[in-house]
Amino acid sequence: MSGSADKIIRMANQIATFFASYPKEEAVAGVRKHIKDFWEPRMKDQIRAQVAAKNAALNPLVVEAVETLPR
């Protein structure tokens, strides 16, 4: 895995960790909103690629949030 992929995964997982204490629906929505509002398109493409590759390092909240992230 490349260094940029590691960084994107780490960042996404940190967001998921922040929202982990919320009820699941709220946590997924919070992760999705953060990525949608604050990540540039290239970063969104990178995290989508990691989800598509089923990268085991991704927090399940990130996977669910990215799968429902608008294009």
Side-chain angles (χ1 to χ4, degrees):
M1 185 170 9
S2 72
S4 66
D6 287 341
K7 185 175 181 186
I8 286 293
I9 290 167
R10 186 171 57 252
M11 289 170 59
N13 284 345
Q14 285 174 335
I15 297 164
T17 298
F18 174 83
F19 286 105
S21 65
Y22 287 62
K24 186 175 178 211
E25 279 186 29
E26 288 180 42
V28 170
V31 173
R32 181 176 49 245
K33 180 170 175 30
H34 183 92
I35 291 172
K36 179 180 151 298
D37 292 351
F38 297 108
W39 285 28
E40 64 180 34
R42 185 181 60 196
M43 293 168 68
K44 291 175 192 171
D45 289 343
Q46 289 174 334
I47 197 65
R48 282 185 179 109
Q50 294 304 314
V51 169
K54 300 189 184 313
N55 190 312
L58 287 168
N59 182 300
L61 293 174
V62 172
V63 173
E64 194 168 336
V66 171
E67 287 176 342
T68 59
L69 188 65
R71 282 270 166 196

